[in-house]
Each structure stands twice: as C-alpha cells, then as structure tokens.
Amino acid sequence: MNRQQTVLQQPRPPAEEGTEWVRRFGATERFAHWWTVLMVTTALLTGLALGDDAESGGPLLTAHWGSVALIGVGLVAALVVGDTRALLRATWRLFSFDRRDASWIRDHLRPSSDRSRHGDYGMFNPGQKALAWALTAAVTMVIFTGIQALSANGEDAAGPHLTAVVVAMVLIGAHLFMALVNPSTNPALRGMLLGRVRRSWAAKHHGGWLKDLQRSRRDD
C-alpha cells in the first residue's frame, strides 16, 4: 500500500473542526441576551428621564414599567418557543462554577510573563460569571426598590432605588467595556451577534469548552 492510499484511508475529522469558525450561541440564546439588554436599558433610561416625576404617570412611566415586565415576558417566550435546552445549558454554564474556574483564577494570578500557556477553560470564565451574578443582583434590586418607591408614591425614588440604578449602570458599563474595548474579550461579541467565534480565539480563551463541543459532536 503506497503513501497516498494510506493517507486517504486515515479517518478525517468532522468538517467543522477544520473550519476557521465555531458556533458559540444559537438564535435562542442571542435573542434572550439582546432582549434582556434592550429592556433593561429602556427601563434605566426611562427611569432616569422620569426623575422626580415618577408619580405623575404618563407614557414615560408606562414605558418604564412596561419594559420591566417585558424582561420576563421575553425570557419566558424564549424558553417556550425557542431552543429550551440550549438556553438552559448556556444559563447553567454562566451561573455555575467548577474546577476550570479555579484553574483560570490560578493562571491569571501568575506574573504576566508566565501566562503564555492557557488552560482548558470553560464556556465562560470567572470574570464573566461574576459580572453576570452582579448584574442579576443589581437588576433585581432595581426592580425591588422601584416597587417600594412606587408603593411610597415616589418618595423613596432618590434613595435605595437610585443607588441600585447607579450600580446597575456601572456594571452595564463594565460589560460594554469588555465587549467593545478590551482586546482579549471583544472577539466574544461576534458570538453574540452572529453566533460564531474564531476557532483560534476559542481555543486560547475557552479551550475546555471547545474540546467538550468537539467531543459531543463526535458522540452524535
């Protein structure tokens, strides 16, 4: 058997493994993300525009509370109509911690000169997870204190509710910085826009997730 025949008989990897891009998020996960971002941003901006006039009502107040209610409506719709399994799987990966996170923290505590070798990190790193938890807590506090302010006829709007709004906006600003400015993390934005990222970037920053993805596709 000659060399050419031997090469032809060797098993080939799945076609997608040889491509430059790898799928990161489906349509359901992307819809849930952008819907939540849109509604939270609308709620914050309309709340700031209302200021001390929150008790006066009007279209702006309707838009403010309507956007809050629509956060839940959109997420429920994504779960019922969309790919429920994919959304729940991505949510679990975002809000849970495992041994790969400890590896990421340990590696990033090393001097910068020792970071040439990257570990097999998961789909989300601890920084992303911590920001997700903080944003969830902040938005929850915004809603809770907003309901309290409404019950008090707006008298408490400049107190805990305003503090919660400021914290939420700072965290959203941090999220935007990581998505748009920071060079090591902004390639992830393509995954949330188009559903895919470069394989080389995924291998460097989320190598464990990429290996899991390839393994699951082989099993299928």
Side-chain angles (χ1 to χ4, degrees):
M1 182 180 293
N2 59 38
R3 182 178 179 182
Q4 183 178 6
Q5 290 175 321
T6 303
V7 172
L8 290 175
Q9 289 181 2
Q10 289 179 349
R12 297 181 180 179
E16 190 173 347
E17 290 188 22
T19 62
E20 183 183 2
W21 303 94
V22 59
R23 185 173 184 258
R24 185 160 173 83
F25 297 112
T28 302
E29 302 100 287
R30 284 179 282 153
F31 168 80
H33 173 268
W34 290 113
W35 179 266
T36 303
V37 169
L38 177 62
M39 292 301 107
V40 169
T41 302
T42 301
L44 291 175
L45 292 178
T46 53
L48 290 174
L50 281 167
D52 295 332
D53 297 328
E55 70 276 5
S56 63
L60 204 57
L61 183 62
T62 301
H64 179 65
W65 283 107
S67 58
V68 173
L70 286 173
I71 296 173
V73 172
L75 293 177
V76 170
L79 284 168
V80 174
V81 179
D83 189 339
T84 305
R85 183 178 178 182
L87 181 57
L88 291 177
R89 183 169 57 242
T91 303
W92 171 256
R93 287 172 173 172
L94 181 59
F95 288 96
S96 64
F97 293 88
D98 56 30
R99 58 179 178 79
R100 290 173 172 173
D101 298 319
S103 175
W104 185 92
I105 295 172
R106 184 173 59 252
D107 290 346
H108 284 74
L109 288 176
R110 297 174 181 172
S112 57
S113 58
D114 297 336
R115 295 180 189 174
S116 57
R117 187 172 179 272
H118 293 264
D120 289 340
Y121 310 135
M123 186 176 190
F124 302 101
N125 64 49
Q128 293 170 312
K129 294 179 180 183
L131 184 58
W133 274 104
L135 271 170
T136 301
V139 171
T140 301
M141 287 304 300
V142 168
I143 296 173
F144 177 73
T145 56
I147 293 173
Q148 285 188 322
L150 184 66
S151 301
N153 295 321
E155 294 178 4
D156 195 38
H161 185 56
L162 180 59
T163 302
V165 168
V166 171
V167 171
M169 293 187 70
V170 169
L171 292 172
I172 290 175
H175 181 57
L176 290 173
F177 172 81
M178 300 301 288
L180 300 174
V181 180
N182 188 41
S184 66
T185 55
N186 62 25
L189 180 61
R190 184 184 291 271
M192 196 51 75
L193 287 171
L194 303 176
R196 63 180 188 172
V197 294
R198 291 189 183 277
R199 184 175 296 275
S200 57
W201 178 84
K204 182 177 180 180
H205 295 277
H206 303 279
W209 163 73
L210 184 60
K211 290 179 180 178
D212 291 343
L213 188 64
Q214 293 169 342
R215 191 180 302 114
S216 67
R217 286 174 179 171
R218 290 192 193 102
D219 293 341
D220 292 341

